[in-house]
Amino acid sequence: MRWAILLIGGVALFRCLRPWVGGPENFAPLAALALCGAFYFQKPWNWAGPLLALLISDAVLNLHYGQPVFTLNTVGAAGAYLLIVELGRWVASRPSWGTWLGGALASSLIFYLVTNSLSWWTNVGYDKSPAGWWQALTIGLPGFPPTWTFLRASVISDLLFTVLFVAAIEWSARRHPGKVRPVLSLAPVR
């Protein structure tokens, strides 16, 4: 599974470079990797690959921002990605572009709800009430960009990278039969 290792490394590198090359926060291929890797990667890479990419990139980014190597946010993100892997297994059992794109949107929401709820619960800046939780999901804390902008960037990147991953793997499966497991070509033609 050399290509899986290269893809995982590329995803981690892409995420690590964002602070230096610019771009919106949360514009990363990690959720798409978790969603698509659930079917396309062999075990244990289907769940370990996205977690490995997260741990490597979080360690680099946390050190860059002067944080501990791993934080509670890393644990929350890992939990969200494991949920997305399970979603990917479900999506792969219903192969179509519609389910893959719906899965990408659901991945964005899962990550957003899990990580922002964790921030609301652990950050003293948020009131521990429904209003404080709503603040964590919408405007966030003063001095930071509104949290809804992170969701917007996640939706765009999750849709884009899911389409790229599925299209590239399906193309490769057609070009090199037997080497890559296709999903869409297993779907009945309608």
Side-chain angles (χ1 to χ4, degrees):
M1 293 246 53
R2 270 182 292 188
W3 68 272
I5 294 169
L6 288 173
L7 184 59
I8 292 164
V11 165
L13 180 63
F14 181 92
R15 186 167 179 247
C16 289
L17 290 176
R18 199 215 47 81
W20 291 278
V21 298
E25 294 283 342
N26 273 22
F27 188 85
L30 273 172
L33 179 70
L35 182 71
C36 298
F39 181 79
Y40 289 119
F41 292 168
Q42 294 177 356
K43 290 180 181 179
W45 289 108
N46 60 346
W47 62 269
L51 291 184
L52 187 60
L54 169 71
L55 294 176
I56 291 169
S57 57
D58 255 21
V60 170
L61 291 172
N62 286 347
L63 289 173
H64 171 73
Y65 291 118
Q67 301 292 318
V69 174
F70 298 112
T71 65
L72 191 54
N73 292 332
T74 304
V75 174
Y81 289 130
L82 288 174
L83 290 172
I84 294 168
V85 167
E86 288 305 313
L87 174 65
R89 289 185 182 133
W90 181 85
V91 166
S93 69
R94 294 153 182 79
S96 74
W97 276 108
T99 54
W100 280 111
L101 295 176
L105 289 173
S107 296
S108 299
L109 288 174
I110 288 168
F111 184 82
Y112 179 74
L113 289 172
V114 168
T115 57
N116 281 301
S117 294
L118 179 65
S119 290
W120 164 73
W121 187 253
T122 61
N123 191 316
V124 296
Y126 292 117
D127 186 41
K128 304 307 179 239
S129 67
W133 183 65
W134 184 249
Q135 177 187 357
L137 294 178
T138 56
I139 60 172
L141 293 172
F144 295 96
T147 54
W148 66 266
T149 61
F150 298 104
L151 175 62
R152 179 186 60 200
S154 291
V155 167
I156 293 167
S157 65
D158 293 345
L159 287 171
L160 173 69
F161 288 112
T162 297
V163 167
L164 287 174
F165 288 168
V166 172
I169 293 170
E170 292 294 323
W171 175 82
S172 180
R174 285 174 177 77
R175 189 164 165 99
H176 306 287
K179 292 192 177 196
V180 178
R181 180 170 54 165
V183 172
L184 294 177
S185 59
L186 299 176
V189 177
R190 296 175 197 209

